[in-house]
Amino acid sequence: TMDDPAIAKIAKDVEFLKKVMILDLASRGFSQEDISSLLGVGQSTVSTMFPKDLLKKAKRLGSGKLT
């Protein structure tokens, strides 16, 4: 059950890895729709995991545009 500390840690680690993957894909130019499809989650999940405009900033950084 989720009361088991080891399982709770694994769940937290998986959530962290999912966020890293989303940021990586966004920095490579993937849209929220593409990211949600690749990860098998809803687009709303992708958009609510990060503050507004963070994925847009990641995309700009990935393209070398810092402004």
Side-chain angles (χ1 to χ4, degrees):
T1 68
M2 288 301 286
D3 294 333
D4 183 336
I7 293 175
K9 182 181 179 333
I10 290 169
K12 187 176 179 180
D13 290 347
V14 167
E15 188 73 10
F16 173 77
L17 290 173
K18 191 183 299 182
K19 288 180 178 182
V20 169
M21 290 171 61
I22 290 170
L23 285 173
D24 178 58
L25 291 168
S27 73
R28 294 170 187 246
F30 287 86
S31 69
Q32 283 188 18
E33 186 176 344
D34 292 336
I35 294 168
S36 65
S37 178
L38 287 167
L39 297 181
V41 298
Q43 185 175 352
S44 61
T45 299
V46 173
S47 66
T48 58
M49 290 182 84
F50 295 96
K52 189 174 183 174
D53 297 330
L54 183 62
L55 294 180
K56 288 180 184 177
K57 290 177 182 176
K59 187 180 285 191
R60 284 198 306 267
L61 287 172
S63 69
K65 299 176 184 174
L66 298 177
T67 58

